[in-house]
Amino acid sequence: MYSTLEQKYQRIQQELKVGIIALAGVFLIGTLWYRFVEHWSWEDAAYMTVITLATVGYGETQPLGARGRLFTIALILMGVISIGYIVNRFTEAVIEGYFQQGIRIRQQRRLMESLTEHYIICGFSRTGRQIAIEFRAEGVTFVIIDSRLESVQQAQSQGYTVYQGDATLDETLFKVGIERAICIVAALPSDAENLYVVLSAKTLNPNIRAIARSSTEEALQKLQRAGADAVISPYITGGKRMAAAALRPEVMDFVDGIISGTDRQLYMEEFLLAAAACPFIGQTLGEAQLRAQTGALVLAIRRSNGELIGGPTAETVFMSGDVLIAMGTAEQLRALNQVLGPIRSKKLRRPRKG
């Protein structure tokens, strides 16, 4: 499935090719006529055809009879129509900016092919827009998919990388590098569409982390059964947050201040402990002395079996596959990332898989 931009570019390309082929056909007909009917040389036949099609006003290369002049009139008309068609298509392409769009399409394709360890946002509605704002604030690489031209243009105007297409189709997901992505967020308005996105994404890339939006409790359960790693219901989540804001306003202000926004001083981050990269596997939290080395505070540890250890003590042992949830300043978290994974320390974010 091609985006509207690609369809327009391909249409103008096809029309220009048709015009050029038609003009070449007229040239061939004229040359063959003068060569075999008028019995001219190939050079004279080609020259006469060219000056006729160009309507430059030169005289006849050799004398023509009534039949030859009638054919030349027809050749002129065919040439004018063919050249006029090409000029018309070319002028439209220049005025509409199709050639610039072609350049943008090629740039977009190269960008899509180069994406790796990126995030995919399906849908640029109100939810998708907020997700994009948060992703940009975090500095992560992401691409947006939306089928509506208005949404695509809005995303482009805000400087986002966007692809116009149906996110439920495998072809579209391949276009945005689903096999190289680490997370996909299904934020489409329809629960059915989000279900299709999760199923397709998990089929094409079983290791990808899938986050989905649901409108109902039933859809939430179906999305979880389909393999979504996390399902968010705006209504349920919104209700819980409103209740918490009413009962514990200071706590909510603090939590909001460390998980979202661009002007934060404290951040929360998660780190996946890989045996091949982390030197602290098998050590206790006290032995690792992460707080002393980095200043970051380890709030919780989630084991690979799903067990959550809140407020780990100095005796808590680090195991391969653990996910550390830590809080600190951006500098402290970067330092913690360097300490936990010196082999792969270029990227701060280690999304949990599964």
Side-chain angles (χ1 to χ4, degrees), residues 278-295:
C278 181
F280 301 111
I281 301 297
Q283 296 186 21
T284 65
L285 180 58
E287 292 171 341
Q289 297 183 341
L290 298 180
R291 183 67 187 271
Q293 292 187 65
T294 66

Side-chain angles (χ1 to χ4, degrees), residues 187-264:
L188 297 167
S190 167
D191 290 334
E193 289 178 319
N194 290 328
L195 182 62
Y196 274 115
V197 170
V198 171
L199 287 171
S200 298
K202 284 293 186 178
T203 301
L204 301 176
N205 183 356
N207 294 322
I208 198 169
R209 180 167 171 79
I211 314 296
R213 173 190 184 276
S214 74
S215 301
T216 64
E217 187 72 25
E218 182 181 1
L220 187 148
Q221 295 174 0
K222 289 183 178 179
L223 284 163
Q224 289 176 335
R225 290 198 294 266
D229 297 275
V231 183
I232 309 299
S233 173
Y235 307 108
I236 297 175
T237 303
K240 289 181 179 179
R241 291 177 67 86
M242 291 177 70
L247 299 173
R248 293 176 290 277
E250 296 302 327
V251 173
M252 284 302 300
D253 288 344
F254 175 75
V255 172
D256 285 342
I258 62 176
I259 64 174
S260 64
T262 58
D263 55 350
R264 290 175 283 170

Side-chain angles (χ1 to χ4, degrees), residues 60-75:
E60 298 171 357
T61 304
Q62 295 185 31
L64 287 172
R67 182 184 60 180
R69 290 181 177 178
L70 288 175
F71 173 78
T72 302
I73 292 173
L75 188 65

Side-chain angles (χ1 to χ4, degrees), residues 53-236:
L53 295 178
T55 63
V56 295
Y58 291 158
E60 298 171 357
T61 304
Q62 295 185 31
L64 287 172
R67 182 184 60 180
R69 290 181 177 178
L70 288 175
F71 173 78
T72 302
I73 292 173
L75 188 65
I76 292 173
L77 293 176
M78 289 188 293
V80 168
I81 292 172
S82 300
I83 295 174
Y85 179 81
I86 294 174
V87 171
N88 178 269
R89 297 294 89 193
F90 185 82
T91 302
E92 180 185 349
V94 172
I95 294 175
E96 297 293 334
Y98 288 144
F99 295 122
Q100 293 88 335
Q101 291 175 355
I103 294 174
R104 287 198 295 270
I105 289 172
R106 287 191 291 271
Q107 291 175 340
Q108 183 189 61
R109 286 176 177 169
R110 286 195 294 267
L111 176 61
M112 297 296 178
E113 292 170 358
S114 67
L115 288 175
T116 181
E117 294 189 353
H118 58 288
Y119 292 69
I120 301 173
I121 302 174
C122 301
F124 197 64
S125 57
R126 288 176 295 180
T127 303
R129 287 195 290 270
Q130 187 60 43
I131 296 170
I133 292 172
E134 296 295 334
F135 279 3
R136 172 177 280 179
E138 292 286 347
V140 300
T141 303
F142 66 94
V143 60
I144 298 168
I145 303 175
D146 201 293
S147 60
R148 297 167 300 173
L149 180 59
E150 299 79 8
S151 298
V152 171
Q153 292 173 338
Q154 184 178 4
Q156 288 175 336
S157 67
Q158 297 178 22
Y160 296 131
T161 302
V162 59
Y163 180 82
Q164 184 182 2
D166 187 348
T168 64
L169 299 179
D170 291 355
E171 183 180 356
T172 301
L173 295 178
F174 276 124
K175 289 279 188 180
V176 298
I178 184 67
E179 69 279 11
R180 302 183 302 275
I182 57 177
C183 183
I184 185 168
V185 182
L188 297 167
S190 167
D191 290 334
E193 289 178 319
N194 290 328
L195 182 62
Y196 274 115
V197 170
V198 171
L199 287 171
S200 298
K202 284 293 186 178
T203 301
L204 301 176
N205 183 356
N207 294 322
I208 198 169
R209 180 167 171 79
I211 314 296
R213 173 190 184 276
S214 74
S215 301
T216 64
E217 187 72 25
E218 182 181 1
L220 187 148
Q221 295 174 0
K222 289 183 178 179
L223 284 163
Q224 289 176 335
R225 290 198 294 266
D229 297 275
V231 183
I232 309 299
S233 173
Y235 307 108
I236 297 175

